[in-house]
Amino acid sequence: MKQSVYDLTQQHRSIRQFKDEPLSKETVQKLVEAGQMASTSSYVQAYSIIGVTDPDIKQALKEVSGQQHVVDNGYLFVYVIDYYRHSLINNETKGNMETSFESAEGLLVGTIDVALAAQNVALTAEDMGLGIVYLGSLRNDVERVGEILGLPEHVFPLFGMAVGVPSDDEQGSPKQRLPFEHVFHENQYNSDKTQQLEQIKQYDKEIQDYYQKRTNGKRSESWSEQIRKMMSKKTRPDILENLNVKGFMKK
Amino acid sequence: MKQSVYDLTQQHRSIRQFKDEPLSKETVQKLVEAGQMASTSSYVQAYSIIGVTDPDIKQALKEVSGQQHVVDNGYLFVYVIDYYRHSLINNETKGNMETSFESAEGLLVGTIDVALAAQNVALTAEDMGLGIVYLGSLRNDVERVGEILGLPEHVFPLFGMAVGVPSDDEQGSPKQRLPFEHVFHENQYNSDKTQQLEQIKQYDKEIQDYYQKRTNGKRSESWSEQIRKMMSKKTRPDILENLNVKGFMKK
């Protein structure tokens, strides 16, 4: 018997090492079709999905991301916000739709549309026994990604996704998330500072224990240490400028 | 036998009429747990989920959205980007993490994190036989939503989701998406204008046929007509200002 989607979600972990088994065309098509059926804001369908198999293009994208699994995988998807077809409709009808799709709201709509579609792909792939990893690392250089993939105005690359049969070396277990009570609020947001700081401390301990056990004591970084290190220098400072260049966040 | 996730995705349609059967606490917890296991950018977990059962709060949110199903449902979730706990860590350590979470990149990371979690909730709910609808309509007045839910700085409401047992009146079939070949590009984005316009025309015809059949000829709006109407006035012009007020898109 197939497992429930709930059970499937609880087994998720990112897979970064894949067997050398390319996905079939049929599988790729099914994954994209699954993505397309996700909810979309007011039927806007503001995304496209680029499937990359060309070794030179994969290599070029790998240079942006710095990750070997951008090249070595069963298949590589790149997910882009796409208002290009909306802009063509706009030109044909001499409209002013750009006030919508070039606004902050337009960026949110597009980003949400892309992510809902991508997560449908992710769960569908995992249900087929495949592993996935999101590649936010493509945002290291969105200008370059735009060149590599030939992205026109009103198209913006959000992230990639490597998919494939997990390698036998890929051990590990799902990574512990923030406890349910930290993330879930009843009726109103609980912004009590003392309580939230207490929760973070408690979670930090759990994560330290988890790493210590997994690495035989070699690593014992807490969650807040990781987050502090990661966020203490501005990552991807060129995103806003590149959004503007591509016709986003202008109005 | 349980169906595959692929099959589940292909049956999706938004449900806006629910039976008067509140979700159990256990179901709500399972749905949130499913959301939490979605991928998260660099472990940042930049979201919270607010479960709303209080009738007054539901009514107030309904006034923002204008939709009766914000009140009448089995359960109501509101999904928020949440860097509040990151800002507390930042204050404690006198860091400069705000350069990350107050940037355009920070907004993308948070929006993607929220949406991936929400889509896990959606598919898990649908797998349990429940129906869902996303409520982007809460962005009609994000300032008011912030007041109603007590959202502090660095917390931004992205959308709601009504969940519940579909009413027997809820007929209908999945809404036809853009054809696979329009959304899927191989190796590079195909920005050929003539070809894309031809594709839109073809899709417009399909959608017109679909509406005509469904409404016995009463409605025959094409996709591009819908999109043009919807986008021709700027929707939610206050989003950027409200993002700034809440500490987003500042750096």
Side-chain angles (χ1 to χ4, degrees):
Chain A
M1 196 179 113
K2 273 264 174 194
Q3 65 195 333
S4 69
V5 173
Y6 173 79
D7 288 341
L8 182 69
T9 61
Q10 300 308 298
Q11 292 155 36
H12 166 74
R13 58 201 178 88
S14 296
I15 298 295
R16 294 180 181 83
Q17 289 192 57
F18 301 96
K19 290 191 180 164
D20 188 15
E21 294 179 21
L23 263 59
S24 71
K25 271 205 167 187
E26 292 68 35
T27 300
V28 171
Q29 176 150 352
K30 278 194 138 185
L31 293 178
V32 173
E33 286 172 356
Q36 289 188 262
M37 285 308 296
S39 295
T40 164
S41 177
S42 303
Y43 212 13
V44 72
Q45 306 179 76
Y47 60 89
S48 282
I49 301 177
I50 303 168
V52 182
T53 50
D54 182 300
D56 293 339
I57 298 185
K58 280 180 123 178
Q59 181 59 33
L61 292 173
K62 190 225 127 180
E63 277 156 28
V64 171
S65 112
Q67 296 164 314
Q68 190 56 35
H69 48 272
V70 172
V71 169
D72 296 336
N73 51 52
Y75 200 79
L76 177 66
F77 289 112
V78 179
Y79 295 84
V80 298
I81 306 178
D82 188 352
Y83 285 117
Y84 184 70
R85 58 178 74 85
H86 309 75
S87 76
L88 294 181
I89 295 171
N90 194 37
N91 292 344
E92 289 287 297
T93 57
K94 301 195 179 27
N96 57 345
M97 289 162 54
E98 73 281 358
T99 54
S100 284
F101 58 69
E102 293 188 347
S103 70
E105 166 69 5
L107 179 67
L108 292 184
V109 163
T111 307
I112 295 166
D113 256 33
V114 169
L116 300 186
Q119 191 55 16
N120 260 17
V121 175
L123 279 176
T124 301
E126 290 176 335
D127 185 51
M128 292 172 173
L130 301 168
I132 67 111
V133 64
Y134 279 89
L135 307 163
S137 55
L138 292 186
R139 291 197 306 281
N140 288 347
D141 191 345
V142 286
E143 190 185 350
R144 180 77 187 116
V145 171
E147 287 166 10
I148 297 167
L149 300 177
L151 305 182
E153 207 186 9
H154 301 119
V155 177
F156 190 84
L158 266 192
F159 48 75
M161 183 191 282
V163 185
V165 181
S167 141
D168 295 330
D169 302 338
E170 264 284 3
Q171 307 284 334
S173 51
K175 224 163 160 186
Q176 244 175 303
R177 299 306 199 250
L178 284 161
F180 169 78
E181 319 82 56
H182 300 202
V183 166
F184 183 70
H185 301 247
E186 263 192 287
N187 286 311
Q188 287 210 310
Y189 189 92
N190 176 3
S191 58
D192 184 302
K193 279 183 197 186
T194 321
Q195 206 172 319
Q196 281 223 16
L197 281 168
E198 203 43 60
Q199 286 182 332
I200 293 168
K201 238 184 239 169
Q202 173 203 328
Y203 182 54
D204 276 347
K205 236 183 232 159
E206 284 171 29
I207 295 302
Q208 282 181 308
D209 285 354
Y210 166 86
Y211 280 124
Q212 277 185 333
K213 266 181 211 152
R214 253 190 78 184
T215 63
N216 287 324
K218 273 179 216 147
R219 187 179 172 184
S220 68
E221 215 178 16
S222 72
W223 180 71
S224 57
E225 278 166 354
Q226 285 181 57
I227 294 302
R228 193 175 46 75
K229 270 189 209 162
M230 196 253 303
M231 288 193 150
S232 284
K233 52 174 191 253
K234 185 170 181 174
T235 43
R236 303 168 186 150
D238 63 337
I239 290 288
L240 181 56
E241 193 192 322
N242 279 293
L243 282 165
N244 290 158
V245 168
K246 285 294 190 189
F248 290 85
M249 292 290 300
K250 282 169 71 180
K251 311 271 165 180
Chain B
M1 195 179 115
K2 274 264 174 196
Q3 64 195 333
S4 69
V5 172
Y6 173 78
D7 288 340
L8 182 69
T9 61
Q10 299 308 297
Q11 292 155 36
H12 166 75
R13 59 200 176 89
S14 295
I15 298 295
R16 293 181 182 84
Q17 290 192 57
F18 301 96
K19 290 191 182 166
D20 188 17
E21 294 179 23
L23 264 59
S24 70
K25 270 205 166 186
E26 292 68 35
T27 300
V28 171
Q29 175 150 354
K30 277 194 138 184
L31 293 177
V32 173
E33 285 171 358
Q36 290 188 262
M37 285 309 295
S39 295
T40 166
S41 176
S42 303
Y43 212 14
V44 72
Q45 306 179 77
Y47 61 90
S48 280
I49 301 177
I50 303 169
V52 182
T53 50
D54 183 302
D56 293 339
I57 298 184
K58 280 180 124 178
Q59 182 57 34
L61 292 173
K62 189 224 128 179
E63 277 155 29
V64 170
S65 112
Q67 294 164 314
Q68 191 56 36
H69 49 273
V70 171
V71 169
D72 296 335
N73 51 53
Y75 200 80
L76 178 65
F77 289 113
V78 179
Y79 295 84
V80 298
I81 306 179
D82 188 352
Y83 284 117
Y84 184 71
R85 58 178 74 85
H86 308 76
S87 76
L88 294 181
I89 295 171
N90 194 36
N91 292 346
E92 289 288 297
T93 56
K94 300 192 180 26
N96 58 345
M97 290 161 55
E98 73 282 358
T99 54
S100 284
F101 57 71
E102 295 188 346
S103 70
E105 165 69 5
L107 178 67
L108 292 184
V109 162
T111 306
I112 296 165
D113 256 32
V114 168
L116 300 186
Q119 191 55 16
N120 260 17
V121 174
L123 279 176
T124 301
E126 290 176 335
D127 185 52
M128 292 173 174
L130 301 167
I132 67 111
V133 63
Y134 279 90
L135 307 163
S137 56
L138 291 186
R139 290 197 306 279
N140 289 347
D141 191 345
V142 286
E143 190 184 350
R144 179 76 188 117
V145 171
E147 286 165 11
I148 296 167
L149 300 177
L151 305 181
E153 208 186 10
H154 300 119
V155 177
F156 190 83
L158 265 192
F159 49 74
M161 182 191 282
V163 186
V165 181
S167 141
D168 295 331
D169 303 338
E170 265 285 4
Q171 305 285 331
S173 52
K175 224 164 161 186
Q176 245 175 299
R177 300 305 202 250
L178 285 162
F180 170 78
E181 318 81 56
H182 300 200
V183 166
F184 182 70
H185 302 246
E186 263 192 286
N187 285 313
Q188 286 210 309
Y189 189 92
N190 176 3
S191 57
D192 184 301
K193 280 184 197 186
T194 321
Q195 205 173 320
Q196 281 224 13
L197 281 169
E198 204 43 62
Q199 286 183 331
I200 293 167
K201 239 184 238 169
Q202 173 204 327
Y203 182 54
D204 276 347
K205 238 184 232 159
E206 285 172 29
I207 295 301
Q208 281 181 308
D209 286 353
Y210 166 85
Y211 281 125
Q212 277 185 332
K213 267 182 212 150
R214 254 190 74 185
T215 63
N216 287 322
K218 275 179 214 147
R219 187 179 172 187
S220 69
E221 214 180 18
S222 73
W223 180 71
S224 57
E225 277 165 355
Q226 284 180 58
I227 294 303
R228 193 176 43 75
K229 271 188 209 162
M230 195 254 303
M231 287 194 149
S232 284
K233 52 174 191 254
K234 185 170 180 175
T235 44
R236 302 168 188 151
D238 62 336
I239 290 287
L240 180 56
E241 193 192 321
N242 278 294
L243 282 166
N244 290 157
V245 168
K246 285 295 192 190
F248 290 86
M249 291 293 298
K250 283 169 68 179
K251 312 270 166 182

